[in-house]
Amino acid sequence: MASHRKSRPTGTRVAGIRTPALATAALTSVALLSQSANAAPAADDKPSLEEVEKKVDDLYRQAESATDKYNAAKEKTAKQRKRVDTLLDDVAQRTQKLNEAREELGSFASAQYRTGAAAPDTATFLLADTPQDYFDQTQLMDRMTGRQKDAVDDYVTQQSETMKKRREATESLQTLTESQDGLKTAKATVQRKLADARELMSKLTAEEKARLAAIEKEKRAEAARKADELAREQAARQKAQEEEAQRQDSGSSSSGTGSGSSDSGSSSSTAPADSSYATKAEKALAFARAQIGKPYVWGAVGPGSYDCSGLTQAAWKAAGVTLPRTTYDQVNAGTTVPLSQAQPGDLVFFYDDVTHVGIYIGNGMMIHAPKPGTYVREESIYYDGESAIHSVVRPA
């Protein structure tokens, strides 16, 4: 009977539990933990509202940087196209002169042929690609009259200059092609960045958009507070400067008329420069204010729309001052001044890569074309935080 019994499973026991049972329990626990771990990230796959805002802002900044590259490529392309057109016109004119010189040589050859005065090597000379080689032959030189020699000289000169200009035109056309390729690349980059930003914004719910608007409102309030603070600092500095000037004037008048006349001459030499700048700045600001409400369009220079550097360039052009097209060129088109000494008309640049610019109007405020989807407006220079301000430049 004992032979019909089932043998006990062998194996190690742990705390009275057989190993297979322990393994089953352990695997079940792992599976549950695994399901929980896999389920948790599913709710966190969507980026937070703050992350979306930062990503959108970054995309707009990248688009603005690409816009500057587009503007530079467009300007370079326009200049290169003008140069190519000039060179082609020059080549056409020189070709005409070359043909006229060739016709004159042909008339000499025909005349010599009719009179029988032409030697065989003269005909060869007239048909040669490099007539200068035949100049060195004394016998041929002897047969030529002064007028014939002048005609040959003119032909050789025109041929050489025409070939040179044709080479220049070919090289300029190649450069133009490269500039046009750069223009297309920059344009595609801008369009891609803007499309990415629009896609991110389109995925936000109505509640998220409302929260984002509230965050923007808080940022604007903080920016306004910082602008007021700067305005108070500038007003205090201006008052102190005026009081110091009054004290100096009082000291000068009490020291005698001779000294006083000297000081007045010195002060009059510095006043016109400030007055001149203020006059130009007033014209630039008047133009900028007239553009408020017009849409931001990348690459636009007016009159119906602007990008940031297009607006500042047009504003100062109205004041008779020519600025470069791009922000990273405009930042070098004047004298850098401390933010605390910024005056109306100064240009305020933003970010480490200098991809944005506005025109200062005083009291911590500026007029600028912010970004795609917005309009030219007045805004605090702290609109994106104090750390975003790169520099202040006085352009005139």
Side-chain angles (χ1 to χ4, degrees):
M1 295 296 290
S3 61
H4 295 288
R5 292 177 183 174
K6 293 181 180 180
S7 59
R8 283 178 174 272
T10 59
T12 307
R13 292 172 179 258
V14 178
I17 302 177
R18 294 188 181 93
T19 300
L22 176 62
T24 301
L27 289 172
T28 303
S29 299
V30 169
L32 290 173
L33 288 172
S34 175
Q35 290 174 2
S36 300
N38 291 334
D44 297 332
D45 279 345
K46 189 174 182 180
S48 68
L49 191 59
E50 290 75 13
E51 290 172 335
V52 171
E53 182 189 28
K54 184 179 184 305
K55 182 64 175 175
V56 169
D57 286 344
D58 287 345
L59 285 169
Y60 277 136
R61 279 189 56 196
Q62 291 168 19
E64 200 156 29
S65 177
T67 297
D68 260 345
K69 293 177 181 178
Y70 169 84
N71 291 337
K74 186 176 181 181
E75 189 175 41
K76 182 178 180 181
T77 299
K79 289 180 179 178
Q80 202 64 37
R81 167 58 65 186
K82 186 176 181 180
R83 173 169 169 74
V84 167
D85 289 344
T86 300
L87 284 171
L88 290 177
D89 288 342
D90 193 8
V91 167
Q93 293 173 7
R94 291 183 182 279
T95 301
Q96 178 63 30
K97 290 181 180 179
L98 181 63
N99 290 336
E100 292 172 356
R102 184 181 289 114
E103 288 174 3
E104 187 171 8
L105 285 178
S107 67
F108 288 140
S110 298
Q112 288 177 339
Y113 178 78
R114 287 194 301 271
T115 60
D121 54 354
T122 304
T124 304
F125 162 75
L126 293 172
L127 297 174
D129 291 333
T130 57
Q132 187 61 44
D133 292 343
Y134 288 87
F135 259 152
D136 297 332
Q137 300 180 28
T138 306
Q139 290 181 352
L140 183 60
M141 291 286 290
D142 291 341
R143 295 192 185 104
M144 289 185 172
T145 66
R147 183 182 174 191
Q148 288 173 323
K149 186 177 183 305
D150 290 342
V152 173
D153 284 340
D154 184 50
Y155 175 81
V156 172
T157 300
Q158 294 298 336
Q159 185 184 49
S160 175
E161 291 181 354
T162 301
M163 291 178 65
K164 179 181 177 182
K165 289 299 180 181
R166 282 175 177 167
R167 285 194 298 270
E168 289 182 17
T170 301
E171 292 171 359
S172 292
L173 281 170
Q174 178 62 32
T175 304
L176 176 60
T177 301
E178 293 171 359
S179 298
Q180 289 173 330
D181 290 342
L183 188 64
K184 292 177 183 177
T185 300
K187 183 176 181 179
T189 301
V190 173
Q191 292 174 331
R192 186 175 66 254
K193 298 295 183 183
L194 294 180
D196 290 345
R198 285 192 293 267
E199 183 180 2
L200 280 173
M201 293 298 294
S202 68
K203 292 179 179 179
L204 295 178
T205 65
E207 181 183 354
E208 288 172 331
K209 290 178 180 178
R211 284 173 53 203
L212 188 59
I215 292 173
E216 289 295 327
K217 185 177 180 180
E218 290 178 4
K219 288 174 65 176
R220 286 196 299 270
E222 174 61 17
R225 186 190 69 77
K226 292 287 292 180
D228 289 341
E229 183 180 315
L230 176 61
R232 288 193 298 271
E233 290 176 1
Q234 290 180 330
R237 178 175 286 100
Q238 179 66 24
K239 183 179 180 181
Q241 289 175 346
E242 291 173 355
E243 291 174 350
E244 178 63 23
Q246 289 176 355
R247 282 195 297 270
Q248 290 180 355
D249 288 343
S250 299
S252 298
S253 60
S254 63
S255 63
T257 57
S259 173
S261 63
S262 174
D263 288 345
S264 64
S266 174
S267 63
S268 65
S269 65
T270 58
D274 294 338
S275 174
S276 174
Y277 179 77
T279 300
K280 292 177 181 178
E282 186 177 349
K283 292 179 181 178
L285 289 173
F287 180 93
R289 287 192 177 95
Q291 313 314 308
I292 290 176
K294 293 183 179 180
Y296 175 105
V297 174
W298 64 273
V301 293
S305 57
Y306 296 90
D307 62 17
C308 65
S309 57
L311 176 64
T312 52
Q313 183 189 46
W316 271 103
K317 183 179 180 181
V321 176
T322 301
L323 293 181
R325 178 64 183 91
T326 63
T327 54
Y328 46 79
D329 285 330
Q330 288 184 9
V331 76
N332 296 316
T335 303
T336 302
V337 297
L339 177 60
S340 60
Q341 297 178 23
Q343 295 180 12
D346 291 350
L347 302 179
V348 186
F349 294 89
F350 297 86
Y351 312 116
D352 292 339
D353 52 357
V354 197
T355 52
H356 189 67
V357 63
I359 184 167
Y360 191 64
I361 62 175
N363 297 324
M365 302 292 288
M366 67 177 174
I367 297 174
H368 69 147
K371 61 185 178 182
T374 63
Y375 299 85
V376 176
R377 66 192 183 203
E378 289 187 10
E379 193 164 26
S380 168
I381 62 173
Y382 299 101
Y383 79 106
D384 202 19
E386 186 172 3
S387 62
I389 299 175
H390 177 274
S391 58
V392 179
V393 172
R394 190 156 299 154

